[in-house]
Amino acid sequence: MTSSQSARHENGVHYFKQGWTLISLPGIRRFVILPLAVNVLLMGGAFWWLFTKLGEWIPAMMSKVPSWLSWLDYLLWPVAVLSVVLVFSYLFSTIANWIAAPFSGLLAEQLEARLTGKPLPDSGIWDIMKDLPRIMKREWQKLAYYLPRALLLFALYFIPVIGQTAAPVLWFFFSAWMVVIQYCDYPFDNHKVSFADMRRSLGSNKIDNMQFGALVSLFTMIPVLNLVILPVAVCGATAMWCDRYRHVYVKNNTDVNSIRK
């Protein structure tokens, strides 16, 4: 059975679980260290600061709720906390991804070579650094895609009732989709697949991909586990690329399932 055939039976949950397994593959662990270090330092410090501020921010948000809805406080309070944590998680994970982008690209490259037995032509940290301008341009493309949509969702928070109920749900689904774009982009960009083509490809398996993105988003909000989620997500997204998309863009694709087992 080829990888493209077997991949039809795998969903986003499978690739999320694969990410946790793949970070410990022999020869891959050393490439996990740098993106892991960036995430630990940034996300660890950011979440410590966030939890010192929640006591001020949540009451301020709840003060915007009309008095005739005060009886819903017990429901709206956890929704407000979830909203803040969602926005904060994505903001700082995005900053971490910017800083770690060259190292995450290298991790995706090395893992793909390990899974397929076919190294990329430009292989190694110096080649990745040489491509740094292209990598940073790609991060700007993702930011340009993200910002107008995020600002629209942020505006919903100022609408009474809708802001405290519908907006967090919409934000969660949007964050899940952006997570898919963020982490799948590393293997796609390593093969210089355009941003537009990548989004079209990911959209063809949107439900499965959203499962992957939702799980990564949830784990980004969990203290301690969120410190290691960056390399896990890169590895899971790279496995997804190898199974689902590589054969579309790369000739001589190989079966990666036996290697990963």
Side-chain angles (χ1 to χ4, degrees):
M1 180 180 291
T2 65
S3 61
S4 58
Q5 289 171 326
S6 62
R8 296 173 189 168
H9 304 290
E10 307 296 359
N11 56 27
V13 177
H14 167 82
Y15 291 111
F16 180 73
K17 293 192 297 184
Q18 282 289 299
W20 291 95
T21 302
L22 293 171
I23 59 172
S24 61
L25 275 180
I28 294 300
R29 286 189 291 265
R30 55 182 174 164
F31 296 102
V32 170
I33 293 173
L34 286 175
L36 179 62
V38 169
N39 209 46
V40 167
L41 291 173
L42 186 60
M43 293 295 286
F47 267 80
W48 174 83
W49 181 77
L50 170 65
F51 288 119
T52 65
K53 295 294 183 180
L54 277 178
E56 302 172 18
W57 293 350
I58 301 304
M61 289 180 64
M62 296 302 296
S63 67
K64 305 295 183 182
V65 179
S67 58
W68 58 275
L69 285 176
S70 59
W71 61 278
L72 283 176
D73 276 359
Y74 72 99
L75 288 176
L76 296 180
W77 185 275
V79 171
V81 173
L82 179 63
S83 301
V84 172
V85 174
L86 272 172
V87 174
F88 195 86
S89 297
Y90 191 81
L91 173 63
F92 278 89
S93 64
T94 299
I95 295 173
N97 285 325
W98 271 64
I99 297 172
F103 311 118
S104 296
L106 179 61
L107 171 58
E109 177 188 86
Q110 295 297 321
L111 179 60
E112 181 179 340
R114 173 72 172 82
L115 295 177
T116 64
K118 295 184 179 296
L120 274 65
D122 296 330
S123 182
I125 191 166
W126 293 116
D127 295 298
I128 292 291
M129 298 308 291
K130 180 184 65 178
D131 288 337
L132 192 58
R134 191 196 80 244
I135 294 171
M136 290 298 103
K137 179 183 177 182
R138 190 69 161 225
E139 294 300 318
W140 277 110
Q141 285 180 300
K142 285 183 274 190
L143 185 63
Y145 178 83
Y146 166 78
L147 273 179
R149 294 162 177 81
L151 290 174
L152 180 62
L153 285 174
F154 184 71
L156 292 179
Y157 280 94
F158 295 94
I159 302 176
V161 184
I162 294 177
Q164 289 76 37
T165 54
V169 176
L170 293 174
W171 185 271
F172 179 78
F173 285 112
F174 175 61
S175 296
W177 176 239
M178 284 306 305
V179 161
V180 173
I181 289 177
Q182 178 65 55
Y183 292 108
C184 287
D185 185 57
Y186 296 120
F188 274 91
D189 187 44
N190 281 343
H191 289 274
K192 299 178 176 60
V193 178
S194 73
F195 186 65
D197 285 344
M198 178 194 69
R199 286 192 289 109
R200 279 192 290 269
S201 293
L202 294 176
S204 66
N205 297 288
K206 201 160 191 175
I207 294 178
D208 286 347
N209 291 340
M210 287 288 284
Q211 292 174 354
F212 176 81
L215 284 169
V216 174
S217 294
L218 285 171
F219 274 68
T220 301
M221 295 185 290
I222 302 175
V224 181
L225 290 179
N226 62 4
L227 301 180
V228 299
I229 199 62
L230 192 159
V232 168
V234 173
C235 288
T238 302
M240 187 188 301
W241 152 266
C242 291
D243 282 346
R244 291 181 178 271
Y245 308 110
R246 189 177 189 275
H247 70 281
V248 177
Y249 298 101
V250 182
K251 294 181 179 180
N252 300 320
N253 191 35
T254 59
D255 187 0
V256 300
N257 295 306
S258 59
I259 299 175
R260 233 180 4 257
K261 289 177 183 177

